[in-house]
Amino acid sequence: MKSFSDLLNKPTVFSDRNVLSPHYVPGTLPFRDTEIEKIMASVVPALKNERPHNMFVYGKTGTGKTCSVKHVLIKFSEHKSNAKHVFMNCRMYNSRYRVIQKIAKELLPTLDSMGFGLAMLYEKVMEEVGKGTHLIVVLDEVDMVKDLDDLLYTLTRANDELKAGSISILGITNRVNFKDQLGTRSKSSLCENEMVFAPYTATQLQSIVRQRAKMGFKPGVVDDSAINLSAALTANDSGDARYALKLLLKAGEIADDRGINKITDKEVEDARRSVDTDIAFEAISTLPDHQQLVLLAIANLALDKGKNTRLTTGTSDEEDSFLTSGEVYEGYCTVARKHRKPRRSARWYREYLNDLEMLGLITTVESGAGMRGRTRLIRIGYPPTDVQKIVEKNFSIIESKN
Ligand SMILES: Nc1ncnc2c1ncn2[C@@H]1O[C@H](COP(=O)(O)OP(=O)(O)OP(=O)(O)O)[C@@H](O)[C@H]1O
Ligand SMILES: [Mg+2]
């Protein structure tokens, strides 16, 4: 049996794995000077004893919003002033109550907030800020807050009551159209200042990956072409640096598993499949039950079809890789019965298809008025065996809990 020392001394391609973690904030962020300066300009009034305007930062996933804001906050805290900031991810702090509670706890670390109502927590925060603190509340993934209009109203209104100090908000989201869904009042309060993060180009991704490879791997480990491939594989111009960096980390783990000291195109390509499965796993396991069941039905049918076409013609042509909306609905009813979930009506089913398509888990097209009549044709976006495994696993966990 292996000992800890064997494991600790196992050869590795990494020199510092931490720098490849998604939470690492690099000391320099190439291609984001303008954005960073704009965020700095937006928060600097707090350091001069004035209330900063609220700010709203948006842009697609992996464009560096969170790390740019964190980068600014690190510098911000280095200055002595009456200013403070509280950073939170609203996936976790997803209601007005939780946000205010988090602010109270950060301002008053010794406060035992258990059992405090909203009004009480708010009073505590106001008392503390009223001593002259200019507080910046950073709400990352702000779209996750369920009662956002109430939260924005509460935080903005606070300034009318404060004799000294202030509260301002810095909201971040990757839902580019999110602003349009806000109420008029919330919109005008949150969007006093705005900043959009554009997707990175393939060349920019290359330098980001190269910089990180230099920091995270031993010299000479990563092939230049493997770096370029990581950038190139980053899906259809999404400009998502997180994805490119995930590929690099996974490629390193694969090299370690294989006991080799080089990362080549091969490791990056193998990393892609595993990263895509991880991403699919996350996307699928957080879906509500019925969307998962529809997806499972699609996966089952796709596999059956695959088998049939191979049996009958030996090939699977384009047209046959699509499923009809009708057969998928039937399949959904079957799996719903199997997992003892009352099936939903066809109207809901169409909504579920829209949700799945939005997440990129399936693609659909309208068929022409051909033999089958007009119908929606459906194709799965991930390997069906992976989808089956993920959904079946989720459901067996849910069922064993009941
Ligand atoms: N300019 C850059 N230089 C170096 N690394 C970067 C840069 N931009 C982003 N990254 C890295 O890419 C990853 C994703 O960045 P970040 O988390 O800031 O994206 P985001 O815009 O907040 O995405 P999401 O909307 O999904 O939260 C992180 O690991 C980050 O360190
Ligand atoms: Mg982010």
Side-chain angles (χ1 to χ4, degrees):
M1 197 175 116
K2 279 191 179 137
S3 68
F4 271 122
S5 352
D6 291 335
L7 292 175
L8 286 168
N9 294 327
K10 195 172 173 238
T12 170
V13 290
F14 294 103
S15 60
D16 183 358
R17 239 185 102 109
N18 286 337
V19 309
L20 292 160
S21 128
H23 305 291
Y24 176 79
V25 183
T28 56
L29 292 162
F31 319 113
R32 285 302 179 229
D33 287 353
T34 320
E35 289 79 0
I36 288 176
E37 277 171 23
K38 219 169 151 184
I39 301 167
M40 284 167 63
S42 166
V43 298
V44 75
L47 300 176
K48 297 190 290 187
N49 215 5
E50 293 162 15
R51 173 184 177 267
H53 286 305
N54 295 334
M55 186 173 202
F56 184 51
V57 170
Y58 60 98
K60 285 193 183 162
T61 192
T63 50
K65 300 178 298 296
T66 302
C67 64
S68 298
V69 168
K70 282 191 170 165
H71 182 87
V72 170
L73 294 174
I74 292 171
K75 300 250 178 281
F76 182 82
S77 318
E78 287 166 0
H79 283 266
K80 266 209 134 7
S81 70
N82 291 338
K84 276 193 183 144
H85 72 268
V86 178
F87 179 99
M88 70 195 91
N89 187 306
C90 298
R91 247 173 228 282
M92 183 106 85
Y93 302 95
N94 63 356
S95 68
R96 173 169 67 172
Y97 180 80
R98 287 192 174 174
V99 169
I100 306 273
Q101 188 184 41
K102 167 82 173 161
I103 299 172
K105 276 190 180 158
E106 294 255 329
L107 292 179
L108 300 153
T110 53
L111 178 79
D112 179 8
S113 66
M114 283 282 283
F116 276 21
L118 179 69
M120 184 70 132
L121 288 170
Y122 178 76
E123 284 311 312
K124 293 277 174 205
V125 170
M126 291 298 276
E127 209 175 285
E128 203 47 36
V129 173
K131 293 176 183 164
T133 307
H134 291 282
L135 176 71
I136 299 177
V137 177
V138 186
L139 303 169
D140 199 0
E141 313 207 26
V142 63
D143 50 288
M144 302 301 283
V145 179
K146 285 178 278 186
D147 48 357
L148 184 60
D149 285 330
D150 294 342
L151 173 65
L152 294 178
Y153 178 72
T154 304
L155 293 178
T156 321
R157 190 200 54 182
N159 291 297
D160 302 335
E161 290 176 23
L162 287 165
K163 302 233 162 22
S166 69
I167 299 181
S168 44
I169 307 158
L170 198 170
I172 308 172
T173 182
N174 57 24
R175 284 178 47 201
V176 181
N177 299 323
F178 179 65
K179 205 175 70 175
D180 305 334
Q181 295 166 22
L182 288 170
T184 328
R185 189 194 231 142
S186 302
K187 188 144 99 187
S188 64
S189 67
L190 186 57
C191 306
E192 287 176 346
N193 260 329
E194 264 181 47
M195 153 114 276
V196 191
F197 277 60
Y200 293 114
T201 63
T203 341
Q204 290 175 334
L205 284 178
Q206 276 177 19
S207 4
I208 291 173
V209 175
R210 185 167 298 116
Q211 179 205 41
R212 211 61 80 83
K214 238 188 219 150
M215 296 159 71
F217 292 101
K218 292 176 178 161
V221 161
V222 192
D223 265 5
D224 226 28
S225 83
I227 287 176
N228 297 346
L229 186 63
S230 308
L233 287 181
T234 298
N236 45 23
D237 303 329
S238 64
D240 177 354
R242 183 181 298 113
Y243 185 87
L245 292 170
K246 267 189 189 164
L247 283 181
L248 191 64
L249 172 63
K250 196 76 197 182
E253 290 171 353
I254 292 177
D256 275 1
D257 281 348
R258 293 180 181 163
I260 52 180
N261 59 7
K262 263 233 141 318
I263 296 175
T264 66
D265 287 7
K266 171 106 184 57
E267 282 67 45
V268 175
E269 266 163 25
D270 295 342
R272 166 151 78 158
R273 198 179 137 72
S274 144
V275 165
D276 285 351
T277 313
D278 289 353
I279 292 175
F281 187 87
E282 221 183 289
I284 296 169
S285 9
T286 50
L287 280 176
D289 289 352
H290 287 275
Q291 278 92 327
Q292 288 198 38
L293 292 173
V294 171
L295 191 64
L296 177 61
I298 297 172
N300 292 345
L301 286 164
L303 281 176
D304 281 354
K305 265 227 160 135
K307 275 178 218 145
N308 290 340
T309 21
R310 238 173 285 127
L311 281 177
T312 50
T313 62
T315 57
S316 94
D317 66 28
E318 271 294 285
E319 174 70 1
D320 275 324
S321 62
F322 279 106
L323 305 165
T324 66
S325 177
E327 61 184 334
V328 171
Y329 186 65
E330 270 175 40
Y332 156 71
C333 296
T334 312
V335 292
R337 201 175 316 123
K338 181 178 157 210
H339 290 286
R340 284 187 240 111
K341 295 270 165 203
R343 71 180 157 94
R344 296 273 166 84
S345 70
R347 196 177 67 77
W348 280 109
Y349 160 71
R350 283 191 294 275
E351 284 296 313
Y352 301 152
L353 289 182
N354 293 342
D355 294 343
L356 295 173
E357 182 159 36
M358 262 235 323
L359 290 166
L361 294 164
I362 60 170
T363 46
T364 75
V365 290
E366 290 295 327
S367 77
M371 235 166 45
R372 297 155 164 166
R374 232 174 246 288
T375 175
R376 201 162 163 187
L377 297 177
I378 300 158
R379 179 150 58 182
I380 195 156
Y382 281 96
T385 35
D386 291 356
V387 171
Q388 278 183 332
K389 264 187 238 146
I390 299 168
V391 179
E392 296 280 4
K393 185 164 166 216
N394 282 338
F395 271 88
S396 68
I397 293 169
I398 297 169
E399 278 155 21
S400 66
K401 267 194 204 150
N402 291 340

